[in-house]
Amino acid sequence: MARAAKWVRAAVVSVALAGMIVLAGVVLGRIFAGALLVELMAGAAVGSVGLSLACRRVPNWVVAPLSAVLLAGYAVLALRVAANQADIPDSMAAIVRDSVQNGIPRLLTAMIPVEPTPDTIVVPVITAWLAGLAGAEIAVRAGRVLLGLLPVAALYGGALYVVGPNANTAGTPTIAFAALAVVALAASARPAQRADAGDAVGEAVRARAFASAAAGLAAVLVLIVAVGPWIGGRVGTTPVDPRQYVEPPQVDSLDESPLNRISGWALTPKEPLLKVSRASASPGKRLRLRLAVLPDYDGVTWRVGATYRNAGRVLPSQPRMPDTQLTEVRQDVIIDGLTGRLLPVVPTPTGVRGARVAFDASTGTLIRPEGLTAGLRYSVTSELQTPDLNVLPAADSPSGDAVARYLAVGADVPDGIQRLADQLADGNGAAFDRAVAIEEFLAEHYRKVADAPSGHSYLNLNFFLFGPRERGGQVGTSEQFAASFALLARLTGLPSRVVVGFDAPAAGGIVTAASALAWPEVLFDGLGWVAFDPMPKSKNPRPVEEDFTPKPSKPPTPPSEPPAPSDTPSSSGPPAVLAAPHKGGPPAVVVAGGASGTVLLALVAAAGTIVAMRRSLRRRRLTAGSPDDRITGAWSEFRDALRLAGQPVPAHLAATEAAAYAGKRLRKAVPDPDPDEMPPLDELVAGINTVGFAPGAADDAQALRAGEQVVAYAEELRSRRSWWRRLWWSVHPGPLRWR
């Protein structure tokens, strides 16, 4: 009878433990799509707790290995079930390896609701099994029920933490969890021994029980007094979101501003980038594929300002605008020569198959975290919203904090661009009228050329808008047209952004580099983002001077004296030990004598010669010649510094890209860098852009600032190298022969 009672108590405790684990799955499943996660965690609870109950008479050294084997088998089974439901065609070995390596970060960066894929369910399933095994071993086998509840309680707390503020309160599951804990504790209680009043043993037992109860009550009271107010104050607060501690998938440097790639694609128009199948539906013969949305502009670069979250096959739908027509488009895409991570899709995707993706809900764009590879094939279902053009002229544009991001521009807007924006806005009170005025002005006054240089900073756009035609002004690619439109729109109060994509045939076919283009979009109430086309409509546009002539900028006041050469120590300057022989003191090598002393003296003399030649080279670069020559020399110093640091600048990068590359590559160039402490390079970039796009426009002050910046940057970069690398930096002969 007593043995049967023990089995009953063990079974009740086991069922309570399994139920508590299932409740942890219910709490975590609130941020998952479907019930698969709860079912898999329930299976892990039954398997782990049931094994411990069935083997409660078997030695520990047998149960632990057996449970590990069963855990591995169940985990593989769970991964296979999740992979089949998510239509993941990879091999089981690849699925297991990828899930184990990336389970935690992908769970914490997945888009909510999280699709139960192998990499998002592997951690909950394994932790549920381990919690059940530990709890059952302690509570059922060892009989320490209260202690055995701790692993399961930790699992439940972890589920609450992972969910954070991304779901409603879990009041009912928490009450049920506490009730099951009470049931487990009650079932483990043993009946008290009956004892006569004069029985000394019974008196001792009762005394101990009373003392234990009193101590427990005192401990509870102390905890209530010490921790109660803190817990009470936390009841109404928002839980911490663990996602803030994990970096979501990011675009690489190639995709930070794909607007810069337009000019490169224009030079290789026949290069095949991708292939698309026939669209299931299309409002026309052509269908635009969206690659990236660029909402952020700082006066230098339009950037992808997206937060990507790992997503499953089903993506959240975008808000339906009331004055738009909705068309569902299905299309297959095969990647060929396109590189980077951004996936071209018909806006806005609602489902994707064939590729693991990350999705940004604010822009409706996709990336493949592993990067694009030739032959990658995926299918996309999109909801294409076409605005009702009849209501567009009367539509207004929103304002306020909600759209402040799409109205922000960098500091120091050129006067000419600001005056042009004011002129285009004058007399055009309606938002649509202002947008059309900007569109028509750009289409009527500028030409599109394939070999226009890349760039969309203030300096580039100012030269594109107002530069003399005979010197390369007033011509550009869709990069300059779209960037100019978006900037002018923001200056007239229109929320705008730049989009990069491809003009693809709706009937299907190969999309070449010639199909790449950028276009601007403006936000309207009730319509959402509406695309505009500022590209030229005529091969012979009117010169901009016929309709707008910016005031000439005031030339800078020349200094009373030519700037003296900077006394800042050169980044290639020698350490004191190498400079000593040039000060006339007796060299230490004389003491050594013999052949070895002669060789050492020759090496020191050669090093000193290289140092002197490099100093002379820097002096010529930064102080001799015209301002254009000195800025070009400063750029050479910048490139040499990065080459000495082992991070040469790729030849195809523009000035702005090279400066960004320099900041990012520091993470690999030096240990524990702090990019915020690196000297800026904005004056150098502005100077080299002036030389490239407006030769002769630079002045002495601009050249001096560029030189000072590059010297400070090179010094800081050199100081972050190890001592022997700094020594080699000083005597390296490379800059004397590099071109």
Side-chain angles (χ1 to χ4, degrees), residues 478-524:
S478 62
E479 172 187 0
Q480 284 77 36
F481 281 88
S484 297
F485 181 102
L487 174 58
L488 291 170
R490 292 191 176 190
L491 294 176
T492 60
L494 299 176
S496 61
R497 65 186 188 182
V498 176
V499 182
V500 177
F502 303 96
D503 194 11
I510 297 176
V511 178
T512 64
S515 301
L517 76 160
W519 65 91
E521 293 182 347
V522 176
L523 183 62
F524 291 93

Side-chain angles (χ1 to χ4, degrees), residues 12-29 36-52 74 123-137 139-140 148-160 173-174 176-181 184:
V12 171
V13 173
S14 298
V15 171
L17 288 173
M20 295 166 75
I21 295 174
V22 173
L23 288 173
V26 171
V27 169
L28 184 59
L36 181 60
L37 176 74
V38 179
E39 295 169 357
L40 293 176
M41 291 187 68
V46 172
S48 58
V49 175
L51 175 65
S52 294
Y74 183 78
V123 174
V125 167
I126 292 177
T127 53
W129 185 287
L130 295 177
L133 173 64
E137 285 294 297
V140 177
L149 293 178
L150 292 181
V152 182
L155 175 67
Y156 191 84
L160 290 173
T174 302
F177 184 89
L180 288 176

Side-chain angles (χ1 to χ4, degrees), residues 28-33 106-115 120 161-168 241-243 308-312 314-317 359 361:
L28 184 59
R30 295 177 302 157
I31 62 171
F32 275 78
R106 288 184 186 166
L107 174 61
L108 294 179
T109 58
M111 176 169 294
I112 297 174
V114 181
E115 183 175 7
T120 59
Y161 178 73
V162 170
V163 172
N166 300 298
N168 295 326
D241 192 348
R243 293 163 170 254
Y308 291 97
R309 295 289 183 185
N310 289 307
V314 179
L315 305 174
S317 299
F359 180 68

Side-chain angles (χ1 to χ4, degrees), residues 281-668:
S282 174
K285 295 182 179 180
R286 309 294 296 182
L287 198 62
R288 281 188 175 177
L289 304 181
R290 186 166 59 192
L291 183 70
V293 174
L294 314 176
D296 299 328
Y297 185 59
D298 57 2
V300 178
T301 306
W302 287 92
R303 298 186 183 278
V304 173
T307 300
Y308 291 97
R309 295 289 183 185
N310 289 307
R313 296 170 301 165
V314 179
L315 305 174
S317 299
Q318 297 296 295
R320 171 72 184 276
M321 294 293 108
D323 296 321
T324 58
Q325 177 184 356
L326 190 65
T327 304
E328 184 178 84
V329 180
R330 291 187 298 273
Q331 196 172 44
D332 293 333
V333 181
I334 303 176
I335 299 298
D336 190 354
L338 184 63
T339 56
R341 294 183 181 178
L342 291 164
L343 285 174
V345 294
V346 175
T348 298
T350 58
V352 60
R353 293 175 180 268
R356 191 179 69 83
V357 301
F359 180 68
D360 175 56
S362 64
T363 61
T365 55
L366 295 172
I367 66 170
R368 184 171 186 253
E370 296 84 5
L372 305 186
T373 56
L376 173 66
R377 180 170 186 159
Y378 57 95
S379 302
V380 180
T381 301
S382 303
E383 291 183 349
L384 181 63
Q385 297 190 32
T386 305
D388 185 356
L389 300 182
N390 294 323
V391 302
L392 187 56
D396 198 6
S397 286
S399 59
D401 294 339
V403 294
R405 177 183 189 183
Y406 305 104
L407 291 168
V409 296
D412 301 325
V413 178
D415 292 339
I417 297 180
Q418 182 63 64
R419 289 184 57 247
L420 176 59
D422 295 339
Q423 175 177 311
L424 295 174
D426 187 24
N428 294 311
F432 177 71
D433 292 341
R434 296 199 300 275
V436 170
I438 298 171
E439 180 185 54
E440 292 178 348
F441 184 88
L442 294 174
E444 293 172 358
H445 294 89
Y446 303 94
R447 289 190 302 115
K448 177 186 176 183
V449 296
D451 59 349
S454 176
H456 48 267
S457 67
Y458 283 156
L459 188 65
N460 301 122
L461 298 184
N462 196 62
F463 185 72
F464 165 71
L465 292 171
F466 311 123
R469 286 190 173 186
E470 63 275 9
R471 296 176 61 179
Q474 303 179 36
V475 297
T477 64
S478 62
E479 172 187 0
Q480 284 77 36
F481 281 88
S484 297
F485 181 102
L487 174 58
L488 291 170
R490 292 191 176 190
L491 294 176
T492 60
L494 299 176
S496 61
R497 65 186 188 182
V498 176
V499 182
V500 177
F502 303 96
D503 194 11
I510 297 176
V511 178
T512 64
S515 301
L517 76 160
W519 65 91
E521 293 182 347
V522 176
L523 183 62
F524 291 93
D525 288 328
L527 295 169
W529 291 99
V530 177
F532 284 82
D533 183 14
M535 299 304 292
K537 306 299 187 293
S538 171
K539 293 184 178 180
N540 297 306
R542 299 197 311 271
V544 69
E545 293 81 5
E546 293 184 6
D547 298 309
F548 179 83
T549 303
K551 293 179 180 179
S553 58
K554 183 179 179 180
T557 303
S560 57
E561 297 180 3
S566 174
D567 294 331
T568 304
S570 168
S571 64
S572 59
V577 67
L578 292 180
H582 297 279
K583 294 182 179 180
V589 295
V590 175
V591 180
S596 60
T598 303
V599 172
L600 182 59
L601 182 61
L603 291 176
V604 172
T609 301
I610 293 174
V611 169
M613 293 176 66
R614 284 185 51 184
R615 279 187 169 180
S616 176
L617 174 65
R618 167 175 283 186
R619 190 178 300 109
R620 291 196 308 272
R621 283 176 170 177
L622 302 183
T623 62
S626 65
D628 283 14
D629 295 335
R630 290 154 58 192
I631 292 173
T632 304
W635 186 254
S636 298
E637 286 289 320
F638 165 70
R639 295 178 63 90
D640 287 353
L642 282 176
R643 192 165 181 177
L644 288 169
Q647 304 293 339
V649 179
H652 67 278
L653 295 184
T656 304
E657 296 170 312
Y661 169 91
K664 290 184 176 298
R665 299 299 290 182
L666 280 176
R667 294 185 177 93
K668 297 182 179 180

